[in-house]
């Protein structure tokens, strides 16, 4: 049995993760934490605890793993609390700055805990990243654009998945210039274009477009339901409790579970 604590328990992702835990006999929710809905009963006798008490809640509920789907500033606090209490981590929150990422890395390293951090826990997107890398190797002279679309309530832009895609392209193509949207006179150079669409209730679309003389290729992933992310995060939670200390990728989880 793996005991799970969840921060962002009342959010879109948090609610789905609770639904998945409900139907997983090998997982037990021991703490649900948020800044909203405090006191609401979410599963069995677990009620939402106040995020301001995250340290105390982790000490008392003694989870094997903390899953975080919140916002970057909150995730930083939650990771700090997990590091302090020696709890393994699965972090799905996106939109961290470079500075926040290096603080997170340092906290995890010095606490000697294991963590899986990924901007996208779906199996499909992890395959999409491999296809993008493969295509970039063969199409190094083509123009490349990353286009993502999400629901109107998404807080960060471009998505963490789009930015990970840019990292992969940048490494594979040796292009450092990243152009976010275009306006006015802007001749295309050797750059990676990035475009973020925010509309309605789109769960998450990502397209990489390679265009060259007389042709183009589009590699596209579309998430139909957030449950793909929730299931992936729980797969990572089962894996990380047995993993060695350090920050691991979803690719490692999928390769060995
Ligand atoms: P959401 O519906 O806004 O849920 C986030 C929840 O966290 C909200 O209930 C929010 O409360 C709460 N929260 C804010 N500060 C908190 C704190 N200090 N402690 C605990 N909870 C706190 O967002 P979502 O759609 O679930 O997405 C959450 C994050 O996961 C985003 O960064 C999103 O980009 C990311 N995401 C990742 C994946 C992946 O596969 N890695 C997939 C989907 C989404 P308020 O509403 O009051 O702010």
């Amino acid at each position: 049995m793996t005991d799970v604590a969840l921060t962002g328990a009342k959010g879109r992702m948090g609610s789905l993760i609770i639904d998945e835990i409900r139907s997983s006999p090998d997982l037990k929710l021991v703490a649900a934490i948020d800044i909203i809905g405090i006191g609401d009963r979410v599963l069995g006798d677990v009620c939402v605890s106040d995020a301001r008490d995250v340290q105390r809640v982790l000490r008392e509920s003694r989870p094997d793993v903390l899953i975080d789907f919140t916002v970057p500033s909150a995730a930083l606090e939650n990771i700090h609390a997990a590091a302090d209490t020696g709890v393994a981590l699965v972090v799905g929150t996106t939109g961290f700055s470079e500075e926040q990422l290096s603080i997170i890395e340092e906290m995890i390293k010095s606490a000697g805990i294991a963590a899986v951090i990924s901007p996208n826990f779906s199996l499909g997107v992890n395959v999409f990243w491999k296809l993008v890398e493969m295509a970039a190797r063969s199409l190094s002279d083509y123009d490349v654009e990353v286009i993502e679309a999400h629901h109107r309530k998404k807080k960060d832009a471009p998505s963490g998945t789009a930015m990970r895609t840019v990292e992969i392209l940048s490494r594979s193509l040796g292009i450092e210039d990243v152009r976010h949207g275009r306006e006015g006179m802007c001749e295309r150079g050797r750059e990676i274009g990035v475009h973020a669409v925010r509309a309605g209730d789109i769960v998450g679309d990502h397209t990489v477009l390679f265009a060259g003389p007389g042709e183009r290729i589009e590699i596209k992933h579309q998430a139909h339901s957030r449950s793909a992310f929730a299931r992936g995060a729980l797969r990572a939670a089962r894996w990380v409790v047995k993993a060695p200390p350090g920050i691991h990728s979803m690719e490692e989880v999928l390769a060995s579970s």
Side-chain angles (χ1 to χ4, degrees), residues 7-8 10-14 33-36 51 69-71 74 78 92-94 118-122 151 154-156 226 229:
T7 39
K10 294 294 277 185
R12 281 176 289 268
M13 282 304 302
I33 301 156
D34 208 303
I35 51 170
I36 53 172
F69 278 84
T70 58
V71 290
N78 299 333
T93 300
T94 59
S118 176
N120 200 305
F121 282 102
S122 89
H151 54 94
K154 182 162 177 63
K155 288 173 181 155
D156 55 317
R226 286 182 186 82
F229 309 132

Side-chain angles (χ1 to χ4, degrees), residues 20-242:
E20 292 288 335
I21 293 176
R22 186 177 285 117
S23 54
S24 306
D26 62 325
L27 299 174
K28 184 177 175 206
L29 185 73
V30 296
I33 301 156
D34 208 303
I35 51 170
I36 53 172
I38 294 157
D40 290 358
R41 192 178 291 270
V42 288
L43 182 59
D45 58 0
V46 177
C47 296
V48 178
S49 303
D50 190 331
R52 286 172 297 188
D53 299 330
V54 60
Q55 286 265 4
R56 182 183 58 74
V57 175
L58 293 185
R59 256 181 239 293
E60 287 174 3
S61 59
R62 303 165 59 88
D64 298 308
V65 57
L66 171 67
I67 302 178
D68 181 275
F69 278 84
T70 58
V71 290
S73 54
L76 228 64
E77 296 290 320
N78 299 333
I79 293 166
H80 182 236
D84 253 22
T85 48
V87 175
L89 271 166
V90 170
V91 179
T93 300
T94 59
F96 294 113
S97 65
E98 286 298 320
E99 194 193 347
Q100 286 173 324
L101 282 172
S102 63
I103 294 171
I104 290 171
E105 214 169 293
E106 189 48 45
M107 284 194 290
I108 289 170
K109 209 167 120 192
S110 55
I113 57 171
V116 177
I117 303 180
S118 176
N120 200 305
F121 282 102
S122 89
L123 176 57
V125 157
N126 282 273
V127 174
F128 164 87
W129 281 328
K130 283 198 193 336
L131 295 174
V132 167
E133 193 169 15
M134 193 194 299
R137 265 188 254 124
S138 302
L139 302 169
S140 54
D141 293 340
Y142 280 32
D143 292 332
V144 59
E145 302 273 314
V146 177
I147 305 127
E148 59 100 331
H150 282 85
H151 54 94
R152 66 198 318 282
K153 292 192 173 144
K154 182 162 177 63
K155 288 173 181 155
D156 55 317
S159 69
T161 304
M163 292 317 291
R164 174 62 54 83
T165 307
V166 169
E167 268 171 45
I168 292 167
L169 288 166
S170 177
R171 200 176 50 234
S172 311
L173 298 167
I175 301 177
E176 293 200 347
D177 193 5
V178 178
R179 181 69 59 99
H180 293 273
R182 291 189 186 84
E183 193 183 25
M185 306 292 288
C186 42
E187 208 174 309
R188 197 183 204 291
R190 187 157 163 77
E191 64 202 26
I192 300 170
V194 185
H195 311 276
V197 176
R198 293 288 173 271
D201 59 0
I202 300 169
V203 172
D205 294 354
H206 292 89
T207 303
V208 175
L209 163 67
F210 293 93
E215 63 171 2
R216 69 170 183 265
I217 293 183
E218 290 182 20
I219 302 174
K220 182 173 201 146
H221 177 272
Q222 291 183 291
H224 301 169
S225 154
R226 286 182 186 82
S227 59
F229 309 132
R231 278 196 300 274
L234 290 175
R235 188 164 168 174
R238 290 180 179 98
W239 183 89
V240 78
V241 295
K242 297 183 199 127

